Amino acid sequence: VFNTYGPLGNSELVLRYGFFEEDNPHDAVTLYHHDLRDALDELIREAVHAEPSGGIASCHVLPHPSTVSRNQPITTWEVCAADPQPSPDILKAIRELFVGIASRRCLRSSGTRSFEYKDDALQLKKRPRGNQSDRITAKKVLSRVCEQRLEKCSSTIEVTSPSGHGEDDTSLHRRLLADHVVGAERKALSALLAWCRCEPGHT
């Protein structure tokens, strides 16, 4: 008798059925719309050397999602470790964020500097010279998402690590399951980060 649970990564297998597979080829990570916004927010602040006072991209620049599309926007996407190339929907969402920022003439706390959307990238215009620009590409945004999420994964692993006291079988099993959930996400995030850095257009 054979049974299959479908092409599920360890995160889903643990949450749904309470077990995991070693070297699961279907390990994946869920990216959220707020991941893209947070990463872009950080890149913008670095570009304009602004203080992180509430988040420029999330609070002062981006239009409300209802103004971007008449339909309910897709807010989550799956990225598989075996094939980390981001879907067109993710890239479209990043472009919409770029367009929303470029539609504003000036960012608060950035003086006369503003952004323009050109050649699939967000470029910072620096005045009065006007001949220098900092490019923020979709791959840079995704790279920053991976870096931020990987840092959170590391923090989670530290929290779930044993404290040096003896563990009973139940606690040990729960910790192993949690480690594999986090490990599945790290695997997919690392694959996406490697894809972003290897593909042309990252810089």
Side-chain angles (χ1 to χ4, degrees), residues 2-3 5 12 20 41 43-45 49 56 61 77 84 91 97 103 106 115 117 135 145-146 171 182:
F2 296 93
N3 186 26
Y5 290 88
E12 289 295 320
F20 58 86
D41 173 88
L43 290 169
I44 288 175
R45 284 193 274 105
H49 306 292
I56 293 176
V61 180
W77 307 272
L91 300 178
L97 295 179
S103 65
C106 185
F115 285 88
Y117 178 61
R135 285 171 51 83
V145 168
C146 293
S171 298
V182 177

Side-chain angles (χ1 to χ4, degrees), residues 91-199:
L91 300 178
K92 179 182 177 182
I94 295 175
R95 285 196 298 269
E96 288 178 345
L97 295 179
F98 286 171
V99 171
I101 292 174
S103 65
R104 303 297 180 91
R105 291 185 177 181
C106 185
L107 301 181
R108 194 170 75 176
S109 301
S110 66
T112 57
R113 292 170 289 190
S114 59
F115 285 88
E116 62 179 349
Y117 178 61
K118 184 178 181 181
D119 298 330
D120 272 342
L122 199 62
Q123 300 188 14
L124 175 64
K125 298 184 294 184
K126 298 182 178 180
R127 299 174 184 174
R129 294 182 180 181
N131 58 357
Q132 298 178 351
S133 62
D134 296 324
R135 285 171 51 83
I136 300 177
T137 64
K139 291 184 176 65
K140 279 189 175 181
V141 174
L142 289 173
S143 294
R144 187 57 58 91
V145 168
C146 293
E147 292 165 356
Q148 292 176 341
R149 290 284 298 271
L150 284 169
E151 185 176 350
K152 292 180 181 178
C153 287
S154 298
S155 301
T156 302
I157 290 178
E158 291 177 1
V159 171
T160 58
S161 296
S163 58
H165 303 290
E167 291 183 284
D168 56 33
D169 291 342
T170 300
S171 298
L172 178 60
H173 181 66
R174 288 176 177 174
R175 183 172 61 80
L176 288 174
L177 292 179
D179 287 348
H180 276 78
V181 169
V182 177
E185 292 188 0
R186 290 187 64 177
K187 181 179 177 182
L189 288 168
S190 298
L192 176 58
L193 181 59
W195 181 88
C196 289
R197 290 176 174 176
C198 290
E199 285 292 306

Side-chain angles (χ1 to χ4, degrees), residues 56-103:
I56 293 176
S58 58
C59 297
H60 307 300
V61 180
L62 298 181
H64 191 275
S66 62
T67 65
V68 176
S69 173
R70 294 182 180 178
N71 301 320
Q72 183 68 24
I74 299 175
T75 56
T76 63
W77 307 272
E78 290 289 322
V79 175
C80 184
D83 183 19
Q85 181 172 348
S87 69
D89 287 334
I90 298 179
L91 300 178
K92 179 182 177 182
I94 295 175
R95 285 196 298 269
E96 288 178 345
L97 295 179
F98 286 171
V99 171
I101 292 174
S103 65

